[in-house]
Amino acid sequence: MSGEQAPRLRLGSKAPNFKAETTAGPIDFHEFIGDKWVVLFSHPEDYTPVCTTELGAFAKLEPEFTKRNVKLIGLSANTIDSHGGWIKDIDEISGSTLRFPIIGDKERKVAFSYDMLDHQDIQNVDSKGIAFTIRSVFIIDPNKTIRLILSYPASTGRNTAEVLRVVDSLQTGDKHKITTPINWVPGDDVIVHPSVKTADAEKIFPKMTVVKPYLRFTPLPREQTSAAV
């Protein structure tokens, strides 16, 4: 990886494929995705305090992701053997049972291919001075397209409920030709997608309210969102 330029991944980029060892056995990432959605999230190292709380939270919330046709997969820059001991701690501390795989990325090859290496925080390095993997989140759809990218500093824990909310927004938007406004949660009013012409929108969304020609709200009951599964 020395001297190489990390890939410039953007929303809409094809998720890079890779082969890796995980706590559930070897995987080909695109085969792992299959026809599912995937949340891929990274950690700088095993036995780190903030990440321990995060993995426990993801483990507890995994059934909600599964209902939405979403697989979870973690990554940490350590070996599979190290992951195994860490998982025991996570289960003990959180009261969860962590079932989703965690990628062993000791050489940080996957982290590099997903541009997960910390560049700005010079304190976020290992004993050899090598940049740690930053805490990134990728939501990837069944077409292997990256739909969301989040990167968190080492000091700030992630919000698992927000990741689930974004999944609901993306899946519901794909199905109903809508977008979701600020702080939306399933059951709140949504915005009619700008690509839908008003004449068509009036037929599709008979309860639509036009605030401005470019801002059209419509009710969408929770039962019609991906959260209703």
Side-chain angles (χ1 to χ4, degrees), residues 161-175:
E162 170 64 4
V163 177
L164 187 66
R165 186 188 79 92
V166 175
V167 168
D168 282 331
S169 173
L170 292 170
Q171 292 184 344
T172 301
D174 287 354
K175 182 178 180 180

Side-chain angles (χ1 to χ4, degrees), residues 17 19 27-35 71 144:
N17 195 25
K19 290 180 171 62
I27 65 163
D28 174 290
F29 188 53
H30 281 186
E31 290 180 3
F32 173 82
I33 295 172
D35 61 354
K71 291 181 175 180
K144 285 72 175 177

Side-chain angles (χ1 to χ4, degrees), residues 154-203:
S155 60
T156 305
R158 283 168 277 210
N159 187 323
T160 52
E162 170 64 4
V163 177
L164 187 66
R165 186 188 79 92
V166 175
V167 168
D168 282 331
S169 173
L170 292 170
Q171 292 184 344
T172 301
D174 287 354
K175 182 178 180 180
H176 292 288
K177 297 182 180 179
I178 58 91
T179 59
T180 56
I182 186 169
N183 296 330
W184 174 87
V185 293
D188 289 352
D189 287 358
V190 297
I191 298 170
V192 178
H193 196 281
S195 66
V196 181
K197 295 181 179 179
T198 298
D200 295 329
E202 289 172 344
K203 298 174 184 177

Side-chain angles (χ1 to χ4, degrees), residues 41-119:
F41 50 100
S42 60
H43 302 274
E45 195 171 36
D46 293 356
Y47 300 102
T48 49
V50 175
C51 294
T52 298
T53 65
E54 291 177 329
L55 280 164
F58 271 115
K60 286 183 176 179
L61 205 56
E62 184 178 19
E64 290 300 318
F65 285 99
T66 301
K67 290 176 185 176
R68 292 161 171 79
N69 199 38
V70 179
K71 291 181 175 180
L72 300 178
I73 184 166
L75 175 149
S76 186
N78 290 92
T79 64
I80 300 303
D81 289 342
S82 175
H83 292 350
W86 188 29
I87 289 171
K88 292 179 182 178
D89 282 1
I90 293 165
D91 288 347
E92 176 189 344
I93 293 165
S94 66
S96 62
T97 301
L98 196 156
R99 295 185 175 89
F100 55 81
I102 301 177
I103 297 164
D105 194 31
K106 182 68 174 177
E107 303 300 321
R108 297 172 196 173
K109 292 180 180 178
V110 177
F112 180 81
S113 70
Y114 275 79
D115 198 13
M116 294 176 180
L117 296 182
D118 199 328
H119 177 68

